[in-house]
Amino acid sequence: VQLQASGGGLVQAGGSLRLSCAASGRTFSYYGMAWFRQAPGKEREFVAGISWSGGTTYYADSVKGRFTISRDNAQNTVYLQMNSLKPEDTAVYYCAVSRTDWASPRIPYDYWGQGTLVTVSS
């Protein structure tokens, strides 16, 4: 099982990026998926989660209204559209597969991607 995250890079404050996470080895269509991030010197934090159907989403307060999580089950891929980026969004972003059909900060996650670096310059 592999989760391959991509789409990170360097962007100016106010800019946008779209992260992708492609899963291979098995289907995760019936599991929630989420994005986490870890900034230098800080603990990993939950960013956004999406239910197996895509019908329900959950966002950290710090990204509400700026980030949008979505998924394409046919492609076994989850996305994170990030708009109005701020320097404090700088971090390594990880995708993860939930143990259930939902995704929130308190649910266990069984599979993790390798991370993609997002750097936002001021």
Side-chain angles (χ1 to χ4, degrees):
V1 175
Q2 280 193 325
L3 297 176
Q4 183 70 41
S6 61
L10 174 63
V11 63
Q12 288 189 332
S16 298
L17 282 174
R18 188 192 195 206
L19 305 184
S20 299
C21 176
S24 60
R26 59 168 288 185
T27 180
F28 294 110
S29 300
Y30 300 107
Y31 293 89
M33 298 187 74
W35 288 94
F36 290 76
R37 67 186 181 187
Q38 186 167 19
K42 295 188 177 181
E43 292 187 353
R44 185 174 61 196
E45 64 174 352
F46 178 93
V47 175
I50 189 166
S51 63
W52 72 275
S53 67
T56 307
T57 55
Y58 188 115
Y59 295 95
D61 288 343
S62 59
V63 306
K64 277 181 184 175
R66 299 188 299 122
F67 290 11
T68 302
I69 187 171
S70 61
R71 66 189 296 165
D72 182 340
N73 285 341
Q75 299 295 324
N76 227 15
T77 301
V78 64
Y79 304 97
L80 186 67
Q81 178 67 43
M82 306 186 295
N83 298 330
S84 302
L85 283 161
K86 304 175 181 180
E88 50 264 44
D89 295 318
T90 294
V92 177
Y93 284 72
Y94 300 90
C95 57
V97 180
S98 165
R99 192 171 295 176
T100 75
D101 59 358
W102 172 225
S104 74
R106 293 174 179 79
I107 289 177
Y109 291 84
D110 290 331
Y111 300 100
W112 293 84
Q114 88 289 359
T116 184
L117 177 62
V118 172
T119 304
V120 184
S121 63
S122 57

